[in-house]
Amino acid sequence: YLPDISTPLNRAKTIAPPMTAFSLGTALGPAAGGILLDYTGFVGTFALVGTGFIALAGANYIFLPKIVTTALETDRAGTGTSDLKEKDKGLLQTWKGLLLDRGISNMILVNGGYWFVLSGSQMTLLPLLLSGEKFGLSASAVGSIFMGMSMVGVVCTPIAGRLLDSVGRVRTIVPACMVIGSAMMSAPMVDDIYSFVALVCTWTAAGTLLGAGPTTYISDMTTSKNRAQALALLRTAGDIGMLLGALGAGTVADMFSQEQAIQANGIAFLALSGFAAIRFATIVKK
């Protein structure tokens, strides 16, 4: 919906807040959970989270129908039944055409790789590393660090949107990938908790460009007819990356160590960033 109501000049600034909200939620969730766990225990934590979901569902029921109805009516006004049938018949052809586009397939690969390393390093291993023998932090301390990461994301999101719109999608996304990979590779090497947190916040700040950047780029490279399918492929790649990233990081951590697993993710993402930069160099960028 947001790509359809925005223009290439303001698309990143429009998409950035809701796209980054998901990333912030993954960081804020452990923060809130750690603090609640210390004060209310497991039962109280799950009860409060469940209550929060019920309240959110109620708010969505009250406020979303008007927005969704308006959007659907606008879409239906310009789309006939025959057009919808043709879209259904040509779904596989649409996917094939999208994946054959070097720019779109490259960005889908970058997005999948980003969620792979984020799921493995940040969501799976980072809490274990912070609470393990190396740093020995309490649940509330770990939660505070994740909350700080969320604040970094909140501050950097508007800046990321402006950079994506003014500097360009690829010119900001590729360097951000390299910063994330470098920080992820370097973080396990430091023994000082403050330096470690600084590196983690660095990859969080760079990650705000990956929150809205791929969606903005895909939206620019597609039309209203195939944009929804392209964004679906982009999100699917992210979901697959999130699934495999946690499994892969956990396996490597069991075989070697948590530090080596995070470093491996950083090195792999740096390699992917270099590969993506080479491929993007051959494409006319938008």
Side-chain angles (χ1 to χ4, degrees):
Y1 178 72
L2 291 176
D4 290 336
I5 64 173
S6 59
T7 69
L9 296 178
N10 67 356
R11 184 163 287 145
K13 287 182 287 188
T14 304
I15 294 175
M19 289 301 298
T20 306
F22 179 78
S23 301
L24 296 179
T26 61
L28 188 58
I35 295 173
L36 289 173
L37 184 63
D38 282 349
Y39 288 97
T40 64
F42 281 102
V43 176
T45 299
F46 276 91
L48 289 172
V49 171
T51 302
F53 270 111
I54 294 173
L56 182 61
N60 288 338
Y61 181 79
I62 294 172
F63 295 109
L64 284 184
K66 295 181 180 179
I67 302 174
V68 173
T69 300
T70 303
L72 288 175
E73 289 176 351
T74 303
D75 187 54
R76 287 169 181 168
T79 305
T81 304
S82 60
D83 294 333
L84 292 176
K85 291 181 178 179
E86 290 299 323
K87 288 181 181 180
D88 292 337
K89 292 179 180 178
L91 183 60
L92 294 178
Q93 288 80 0
T94 300
W95 288 354
K96 182 179 179 180
L98 291 169
L99 292 175
L100 288 176
D101 185 289
R102 289 174 62 86
I104 293 175
S105 62
N106 204 31
M107 191 58 69
I108 290 175
L109 179 64
V110 169
N111 188 63
Y114 169 67
W115 284 105
F116 180 93
V117 299
L118 189 73
S119 172
S121 295
Q122 180 171 312
M123 301 180 192
T124 304
L125 297 179
L126 185 58
L128 298 175
L129 186 61
L130 290 171
S131 60
E133 295 180 1
K134 184 173 183 178
F135 296 113
L137 300 182
S138 65
S140 59
V142 174
S144 299
I145 290 176
F146 274 85
M147 185 177 293
M149 293 164 60
S150 298
M151 293 302 102
V152 170
V154 170
V155 171
C156 293
T157 293
I159 301 173
R162 292 188 180 92
L163 287 174
L164 287 164
D165 282 334
S166 59
V167 179
R169 322 308 191 201
V170 175
R171 290 189 179 94
T172 50
I173 292 173
V174 172
C177 290
M178 294 182 176
V179 170
I180 293 171
S182 299
M184 201 171 287
M185 180 183 65
S186 304
M189 298 180 184
V190 300
D191 296 323
D192 177 28
I193 184 62
Y194 298 105
S195 300
F196 183 86
V197 171
L199 287 170
V200 171
C201 288
T202 298
W203 91 46
T204 300
T208 57
L209 290 164
L210 273 294
T215 301
T216 305
Y217 181 85
I218 294 294
S219 300
D220 291 345
M221 296 290 288
T222 54
T223 65
S224 58
K225 293 182 178 181
N226 62 0
R227 182 172 295 138
Q229 295 302 326
L231 293 175
L233 288 174
L234 182 73
R235 181 58 62 89
T236 300
D239 291 340
I240 294 174
M242 186 181 299
L243 173 67
L244 298 179
L247 177 63
T251 302
V252 174
D254 286 339
M255 294 176 61
F256 300 98
S257 69
Q258 296 169 6
E259 291 89 343
Q260 288 177 318
I262 294 177
Q263 284 181 322
N265 273 341
I267 294 171
F269 200 53
L270 273 177
L272 177 62
S273 303
F275 175 75
I278 294 173
R279 290 196 70 192
F280 276 127
T282 64
I283 302 170
V284 178
K285 308 175 187 63
K286 288 192 175 184

